[in-house]
Amino acid sequence: MKLMMTGQDDVSILPGTVLKGKWHGKHYQIIRKLGSGAQGTVYLAHADQRTVAVKVAKDRASLISEMNVLKEFNQLGADLLGPYLYDTDDWQEGGRLIAFSVMEYLRGTALNEALPTQSFDWIAVFLVQLLRHLQNLHRIGYAFGDLKPENLMLMDPGHHVRCLDFGGATRLGRSIREYTEFYDRGYWGLGTRKAEPGYDLFACGMIMLYAASGRRFEKSAHPEEQLLHICRTKPQLAPYREIVAGALTGRYTSADQMRRDLLSRLMERQNTVKAIRPKKKNRRSAKKDWAKAWMTASLLLGVYVIFVMIYIM
Amino acid sequence: MKKGNLKQILLITDGCSNQGEDPSAMAALAREQGITVNVIGILDHFDSEDSRGLMEVEDIARAGGGISQIVQTKQLAQTVQMVTKQAMTQTIKGVINQELQDILGETGTVEDLPPEKQGKVMEVIDELGETVDLNVCILVDTSASMKAKLPTVREALTDLSLSLSARMGSNQFCLYLFPGKRKPVHKVIGWTPNLENIEKTFAKIDTHGVTPTGPAIREAAKSFGMLSKRSMIFEDEAYDDGPR
């Protein structure tokens, strides 16, 4: 038996083809291919006057596992985490039974394609948004697993990111279902492949390194030093250095904590930029403020001491 | 289904056997004893010699009820863990299909269920894959042409250990190299829960010309007998003597 369990790997569906569900009897007319990856192919399709995304996986088991996760999100009302799941069915085609699922179509650009066109400031903002999604995901008991720019979508109107491919989503405490070496802490010798918040946060750190380097790089003989060196030397990373290093070395155990650090760093940085221009004046006024504060404090202390003395007597 | 353990042989090779019994026959024999044989073929360039190796890789896995995958040296680590995990899922699925057939008659397989029920079955399969105990006997071809690839093989095995140790179930590994010095196969690491310190093992290898894949699979299948005997006598110790 070859690697793929159901032999769906060579399925290619032409535009205009109608997929008829064996179980639920719904029809989906394929418009065009949206993209294909290691796990399967996603098509744009028409159904009941709306446009949907139809995913045909190479491996039935992995498709069904992913749909289990999406279904759970939908039930928990955690809709924003993933696309809404409309239908899962089988399509009988030429003696083969092809499993597919129908999801909400998220219009946008995959983050790996969008990154080169964005300024680095935006990347930090995307990460703040992503960390909010991850916090929600971890709270309901899942790690994202295969976190990488290819699985994140920069939505078309507005500037926000959403997670796209949940094939790697794994219950916390279990072993990560799918991963990509470059974003996997196990590959870099910096932790286990157990599903826990820190696993996703490591990938967040790697997304920052990827964005700063513009490419995936090879592992050297001393991976930890290699990553921290990149973290130290890339000028774009300078403001976020400790946060990224913290994510890579497992210092963060919650997405919320990393998000707050990143957010405060982003806000703080804007203040320092403003403060540079009126430098002299600022310093003088700061000194004045300080003296004023001292006076007030000693005055208050004096009043307090007198008050206490009077009270004792 | 009671919680059992899964037995796998993982064969890593780059070519054709040229000594001893037919490897496919030996793989079928292993399968008869409840052992799945998975094969990873490392082929960096395809020529006529390699395509013969490719055929053999597929034949052995088919006879051994396992999965085969041809890879380039670079992709080895990710492939090794993926093949092992997928073979586990496949075995569990096979058992579940068997039970379904007993209940539903001839046509009962997971694919014949509506998607909602398939989802439930997948959850059970995931759960079992996560918690079942796994025993893997790793069989590495160290014939002359493999020499340059051995550092990558070592890394891939460490990576496999890392992947599997993240599971909730327990793991046991043992490592055999073939050909051995005066025998077809040489046991270098006895049953042990992790493969973290295998650098030394690979440093000592001198590669040989012949490739006795068949006899090596037979010996690997025997190793599971030691495992069950050992687990009755001593619980946790790993012992390291050669095969008898």
Side-chain angles (χ1 to χ4, degrees):
Chain A
M1 183 159 185
K2 290 261 298 187
L3 188 68
M4 297 313 166
M5 288 194 283
T6 46
Q8 289 190 181
D9 41 332
D10 49 355
V11 173
S12 173
I13 305 171
L14 295 171
T17 312
V18 176
L19 269 63
K20 184 176 183 293
K22 176 185 169 187
W23 303 96
H24 305 139
K26 294 222 174 97
H27 293 73
Y28 302 96
Q29 185 170 28
I30 302 294
I31 300 170
R32 66 185 163 91
K33 190 157 130 179
L34 284 173
S36 73
Q39 300 307 317
T41 311
V42 182
Y43 298 90
L44 190 66
H46 266 310
D48 311 331
Q49 284 138 21
R50 69 180 161 197
T51 315
V52 294
V54 172
K55 182 168 187 173
V56 180
K58 284 182 184 171
D59 171 21
R60 171 183 293 268
S62 118
L63 180 82
I64 289 176
S65 296
E66 185 184 351
M67 294 316 126
N68 273 346
V69 174
L70 282 185
K71 215 181 283 173
E72 192 161 341
F73 292 170
N74 291 169
Q75 278 162 7
L76 286 165
D79 290 0
L80 262 180
L81 284 173
Y84 195 84
L85 179 68
Y86 296 126
D87 191 12
T88 305
D89 213 325
D90 289 317
W91 176 43
Q92 188 92 46
E93 167 65 11
R96 280 191 303 181
L97 206 56
I98 296 165
F100 66 92
S101 64
V102 183
M103 289 171 286
E104 176 190 1
Y105 170 49
L106 302 180
R107 188 193 296 272
T109 325
L111 200 60
N112 58 318
E113 286 163 30
L115 276 182
T117 65
Q118 301 285 339
S119 72
F120 207 81
D121 291 333
W122 267 111
I123 287 145
V125 175
F126 294 149
L127 205 63
V128 171
Q129 296 173 352
L130 174 62
L131 285 165
R132 181 165 45 84
H133 288 312
L134 288 177
Q135 173 69 16
N136 290 335
L137 188 63
H138 297 159
R139 209 181 42 223
I140 61 173
Y142 279 91
F144 189 84
D146 200 3
L147 192 61
K148 54 179 174 181
E150 290 82 347
N151 283 344
L152 299 171
M153 178 76 98
L154 184 56
M155 300 300 289
D156 205 1
H159 294 82
H160 64 282
V161 283
R162 277 182 69 176
C163 306
L164 195 61
D165 189 322
F166 284 78
T170 310
R171 282 217 181 105
L172 294 179
R174 293 197 175 182
S175 56
I176 291 290
R177 195 197 292 277
E178 273 166 28
Y179 63 86
T180 304
E181 279 182 348
F182 183 81
Y183 299 96
D184 163 50
R185 68 178 183 185
Y187 171 75
W188 294 98
L190 284 162
T192 65
R193 282 196 188 120
K194 230 181 214 332
E196 50 194 27
Y199 187 89
D200 286 341
L201 300 182
F202 177 87
C204 287
M206 289 308 288
I207 290 174
M208 290 292 268
L209 292 198
Y210 170 81
S213 328
R215 64 187 174 90
R216 292 191 194 175
F217 39 84
E218 295 280 313
K219 179 169 70 171
S220 74
H222 305 284
E224 183 170 358
E225 282 164 39
Q226 183 192 1
L227 296 184
L228 293 179
H229 178 76
I230 294 168
C231 196
R232 271 196 307 273
T233 50
K234 287 282 171 202
Q236 306 97 305
L237 290 176
Y240 321 108
R241 198 164 285 158
E242 291 133 47
I243 299 169
V244 175
L248 295 176
T249 52
R251 207 183 68 225
Y252 288 111
T253 49
S254 99
D256 192 44
Q257 195 190 350
M258 183 172 165
R259 181 173 178 270
R260 266 185 281 136
D261 282 3
L262 198 59
L263 199 59
S264 71
R265 185 56 53 90
L266 279 161
M267 302 310 284
E268 198 179 292
R269 201 169 139 236
Q270 274 165 6
N271 280 345
T272 55
V273 170
K274 258 185 217 157
I276 288 167
R277 255 177 288 138
K279 210 176 183 180
K280 257 187 179 168
K281 197 179 150 202
N282 243 6
R283 193 177 287 169
R284 209 191 305 141
S285 72
K287 232 180 208 171
K288 235 186 232 167
D289 281 350
W290 216 57
K292 220 185 257 173
W294 255 111
M295 294 245 296
T296 320
S298 28
L299 202 71
L300 278 173
L301 195 72
V303 171
Y304 177 72
V305 168
I306 291 165
F307 186 78
V308 167
M309 277 167 69
I310 291 168
Y311 185 79
I312 289 169
M313 286 191 302
Chain B
M1 196 170 119
K2 69 170 194 288
K3 194 181 150 203
N5 61 48
L6 297 183
K7 296 176 203 158
Q8 290 186 2
I9 290 175
L10 176 67
L11 169 64
I12 301 176
T13 182
D14 73 339
C16 324
S17 60
N18 56 15
Q19 199 185 53
E21 293 91 341
D22 178 350
S24 304
M26 292 301 110
L29 206 57
R31 188 186 190 178
E32 276 304 309
Q33 298 163 70
I35 303 160
T36 308
V37 184
N38 300 310
V39 192
I40 293 175
I42 311 179
L43 299 178
D44 281 326
H45 36 79
F46 293 87
D47 51 35
S48 57
E49 169 73 11
D50 278 351
S51 70
R52 199 160 70 84
L54 199 140
M55 288 265 287
E56 191 182 90
V57 161
E58 280 182 14
D59 280 347
I60 297 173
R62 208 173 297 134
I67 288 172
S68 69
Q69 179 79 342
I70 306 290
V71 289
Q72 299 201 323
T73 314
K74 229 184 121 195
Q75 308 149 331
L76 190 65
Q78 204 156 18
T79 308
V80 163
Q81 63 88 23
M82 197 168 73
V83 162
T84 305
K85 278 190 150 181
Q86 289 202 354
M88 280 173 65
T89 309
Q90 187 186 305
T91 308
I92 294 167
K93 217 170 149 185
V95 173
I96 286 180
N97 272 339
Q98 191 58 53
E99 306 235 326
L100 277 176
Q101 270 169 23
D102 291 349
I103 300 165
L104 305 172
E106 269 308 297
T107 54
T109 66
V110 177
E111 277 79 7
D112 294 323
L113 297 171
E116 296 73 29
K117 297 250 167 64
Q118 280 189 30
K120 296 251 165 61
V121 174
M122 269 316 297
E123 264 173 42
V124 174
I125 291 175
D126 277 353
E127 173 82 34
L128 284 170
E130 187 65 33
T131 53
V132 76
D133 294 339
L134 176 68
N135 303 313
V136 190
C137 180
I138 299 155
L139 202 52
V140 180
D141 174 355
T142 56
S143 60
S145 56
M146 280 288 288
K147 189 164 190 174
K149 298 163 190 164
L150 290 178
T152 320
V153 172
R154 175 177 58 71
E155 262 178 49
L157 295 182
T158 314
D159 192 82
L160 174 71
S161 175
L162 182 77
S163 260
L164 295 179
S165 65
R167 298 185 324 121
M168 290 157 148
S170 75
N171 307 294
Q172 292 281 330
F173 303 96
C174 71
L175 179 61
Y176 282 54
L177 307 177
F178 70 99
K181 266 205 179 113
R182 271 174 298 277
K183 46 199 173 186
V185 60
H186 175 54
K187 174 173 169 183
V188 286
I189 297 175
W191 291 106
T192 166
N194 60 57
L195 284 176
E196 267 149 31
N197 303 307
I198 54 172
E199 282 86 354
K200 282 188 203 135
T201 318
F202 277 83
K204 286 184 292 195
I205 295 171
D206 24 295
T207 48
H208 301 260
V210 294
T211 314
T213 312
I217 295 174
R218 192 189 53 213
E219 288 305 317
K222 277 192 203 164
S223 72
F224 291 93
M226 288 174 209
L227 182 74
S228 49
K229 238 183 279 164
R230 191 178 61 86
S231 59
M232 274 189 288
I233 305 166
F234 352 72
E235 266 311 315
D236 276 313
E237 269 171 283
Y239 73 98
D240 257 52
D241 53 351
R244 276 151 266 201

